[in-house]
Amino acid sequence: MNKNLNRIFILSLFLSFATSLLAVAPNGYYKTAEGLQQKALLKRLCDIVGPHTTISYKGLWTLYKTSDVRPGTQEIWDMYSTAKYKAGKDQCGAYHSVGDCYNREHSFPKSWFNDASPMVSDAFHIYPTDGVVNNQRSNYPYGECANGTTLSAPRGIKALGKLGTSTFPGYSGTVFEPIDEYKGDFARSYFYMAACYNDRFASFHSPMLAGNDYPCYTNWAINLLMKWHRQDPVSEKEIDRNDEVYAHQKNRNPFIDHPELAEYIWGNKQNEGWVPGGVIDPVITSPVSGTTIDLGVALVNTNLTQQITVKSAGLKENLNVTVAGTGFSVSTTTISKDQTNGAGANITVSYQSATAAEATGVLTISSAEVSSQVNLKAMAVENIVALPAEGITMNSFTARWQDMSKDGSNYNLYVYLADGVTVLPGYPKTVAASAERYNVTDLDYSATYKYKLTDKNGKESNVITVTTNDPIREINAILPQGDLVFNTTPNTVSDALPVDIACEYILEKEVNVTITGNFEISSDKANWSKSLTVSSEGERIYVRMQASAAGSYKGMLSASTATVEGFDIDVIGSSAAPRTFFEDFEVEVPATGGYNTSGAEIQGNACKWYMKDAGLFARPGQDRYNGTLGVCTGKTPDSYIEMRENKLNGAGIFSFQAALYGKDTKASVDVLYSINEGQSWTKLQSFDIQNTILEEYVVDANIQQPIRFKIAQTAGKRINIDDIAISDVSSVENIYAENKNWDAYVVNGKVCVELEDAANILIYTPDAKLVFEGMTQNGALIALPQGVYIVVNDAVNDSRKVIVK
């Protein structure tokens, strides 16, 4: 680890002081970690923040409405684009351009931990971000890429961050670099992951990870994350988000509450025991020592300038400013420590040359305490100034220049391949000098090009290098019959729903598809499993709910490759017999009326009921009910209603609707059952009633004996109850009907056609060559060579794509 770099950028006390004013960790939350260091400190933090409440992946959408919106708005705070998304309204389905929608970005990619829970839905590392930029990032490590590509965007929106080859020492692979404003945010998310999941971190895999529980990250990753952590201190955004996530997950990010912790685990205080606060070391936080500032290109004898903000912490002396390099100058030689320790001081660096030149220099900002050296670059040309390209897409860019002719003449625009020698067909182009731009099209994606301009006298501009964007590599799911929602009867598999997997620009030949929960997938409707591989050329799969006991189930269908994180689709299912008992209380109100404080038997439409401190009411604006009547309990917490007759064939699912009466506050109820004529009662489940709108509450009973139920209030004041329903346990009726007109898929290497009635089937290759035609019966198997085919049902003018392997 680079100790000198660490010394230069220590911000421990400064960061701790800034956040301690605002963070609201409970008293003593980190007490047991005090005095520890390195591995022991990290493991203790795991003990503190590891246990937490798991938010569902779907629940993140709700959390984002409060955790990730800009102050005073419902606008999502997107760290990958400048798009103004409405929280809860602009969530991703399909997307094509930056600014279309936002989704859930695993800043610590889920493929690194095999989509395992609870990491897969931990809000501390999952942020709402632009869908297209998220897709560009894929599961590449974070890093720095000086020549990376930022996606183009429509409607004045800007993509934030860039993808390219790493230029950070120690790693040479592809990385995604976020903008400076959020680098510290992501670094502290990674520190959190190492702490919260330290007990399983050794099993995670990525170029950034060391495969152990300490130090967890490789040397280059530690150097990168510590650099970002120091340069981008904790912001108010992070503090507010930390508090909001804590309210839901019941754990915190310690590196937001106490940023100095990172120094005691990975930084320059590893040999010291952690004490909240620490001691501050003088540091220049901006500009960063060792970085390069490019002033750009200008004509000879023309001044180039760039303003630089100098920031520091803990300085006791003023700073001296010097610049070295022919043609470079700086606006001041001293800066007050009071300015740099505060909001920062602005200085201006200039460059001018009387002859054409490519110049380098060094800007030094120093005192006896600290020093920061920044590399400078500039270029002077004699005639034409070519400017960096704009509007870069996967197949085009806009070449730019400055018009130096001032006489309405033309330039010649040359565009070359990466070698700088081979000219693209159709070039050079004659362009008006005054246009100052030209759109270069019909290019390859992820390719490097160069361009320059010449004038009528043969004088040349400088050469600009540009790389077109990578394509948006996508794995999409098309749901021909709507959302993946299944209903079946207990212990019976559901009908299958089709899902078409469609890929764009995927490098791998196969896509991995998995499903969680009580669900399974198949490519042939014969062999069912929890995972399978499909062709990246696109393929249809099928999803169904497994035979399950009565109840409600959730799962997730996911697809990915080694380089692309594809879709995550919620799957919902329920297993229940038809409801054969339904009590709506639409009866004549007994003459006794009121709350029946002494108890009374009331005849309902489904059975007789006994009500204690409860009755039937319909008071406008106060009672909540469906139809004309509903139950209202009294103000005492011992109110109840119970069945006085059995449901003879048992109960699968018991449900009821409830709401608070009038302006009464939170109440609680227990659902109990009896299988001995009401002589004794067993509690099934408790519910908190918190809303003034009727909501359904559901209990899985799954009891086959004659049964009766009781709803007993245990806390609070008045509540309304209505529409009590009970399903049978063992009905075989399937309440879900799928449109099964026809289908085609592959079974044991043959094309299987599923039909309701015989039909004329035609099968084509992708180049429209007919390889089969004939009247076909249901279940027919057609032998074909390996390959991709289009199966057409002539009777309904519909088709299916199949792949014979």
Side-chain angles (χ1 to χ4, degrees), residues 718-732:
R718 292 164 292 186
I719 57 172
N720 290 119
I721 301 171
D722 204 355
D723 290 358
I724 297 173
I726 310 172
S727 70
D728 293 341
V729 176
S730 57
S731 171
V732 296

Side-chain angles (χ1 to χ4, degrees), residues 110 475 501 511-514 557-561 564-568:
K110 59 192 176 79
I475 306 172
I501 310 296
V511 176
N512 301 313
V513 185
T514 60
L557 179 68
S558 304
S560 64
T561 69
V564 176
E565 292 196 39
F567 56 78
D568 292 308

Side-chain angles (χ1 to χ4, degrees), residues 428-493:
K429 298 278 190 186
T430 300
V431 295
S434 59
E436 297 192 327
R437 60 183 55 232
Y438 183 83
N439 196 29
V440 181
T441 59
D442 299 323
L443 305 176
D444 292 332
Y445 60 80
S446 308
T448 298
Y449 298 91
K450 297 182 178 182
Y451 67 86
K452 71 176 183 180
L453 300 107
T454 64
D455 66 9
K456 59 187 177 182
N457 299 315
K459 294 182 177 179
E460 298 183 355
S461 74
N462 52 301
V463 177
I464 298 294
T465 300
V466 56
T467 301
T468 52
N469 289 344
D470 289 337
I472 298 174
R473 306 186 193 278
E474 294 182 310
I475 306 172
N476 294 312
I478 301 169
L479 309 179
Q481 296 185 18
D483 293 339
L484 296 178
V485 178
F486 299 90
N487 294 277
T488 186
T489 54
N491 305 310
T492 306
V493 296

Side-chain angles (χ1 to χ4, degrees), residues 398-445:
T398 300
R400 301 189 305 128
W401 61 86
Q402 288 183 4
D403 178 16
M404 301 299 177
S405 66
K406 309 305 180 186
D407 60 3
S409 62
N410 295 326
Y411 289 155
N412 294 312
L413 172 64
Y414 289 80
V415 181
Y416 302 90
L417 296 180
D419 60 11
V421 175
T422 306
V423 181
L424 257 60
Y427 289 86
K429 298 278 190 186
T430 300
V431 295
S434 59
E436 297 192 327
R437 60 183 55 232
Y438 183 83
N439 196 29
V440 181
T441 59
D442 299 323
L443 305 176
D444 292 332
Y445 60 80

Side-chain angles (χ1 to χ4, degrees), residues 738-757:
E738 178 193 358
N739 176 9
K740 297 197 292 186
N741 290 330
W742 83 286
D743 208 347
Y745 45 91
V746 175
V747 176
N748 298 325
K750 295 181 180 181
V751 177
C752 178
V753 181
E754 189 177 276
L755 298 161
E756 289 187 347
D757 299 302

Side-chain angles (χ1 to χ4, degrees), residues 12 61 68 92 140 182 194 457 478 527 672 700:
S12 57
W61 294 125
D68 289 85
C92 276
Y140 293 115
Y182 302 124
N457 299 315
I478 301 169
N527 300 293
L672 306 99
D700 293 335

Side-chain angles (χ1 to χ4, degrees), residues 235-254:
S235 64
E236 184 67 33
K237 172 187 184 299
E238 290 178 87
I239 294 167
D240 293 343
R241 190 177 196 272
N242 193 22
D243 293 340
E244 188 62 34
V245 175
Y246 172 67
H248 293 78
Q249 290 194 176
K250 308 305 179 187
N251 72 335
R252 303 183 65 80
N253 185 336

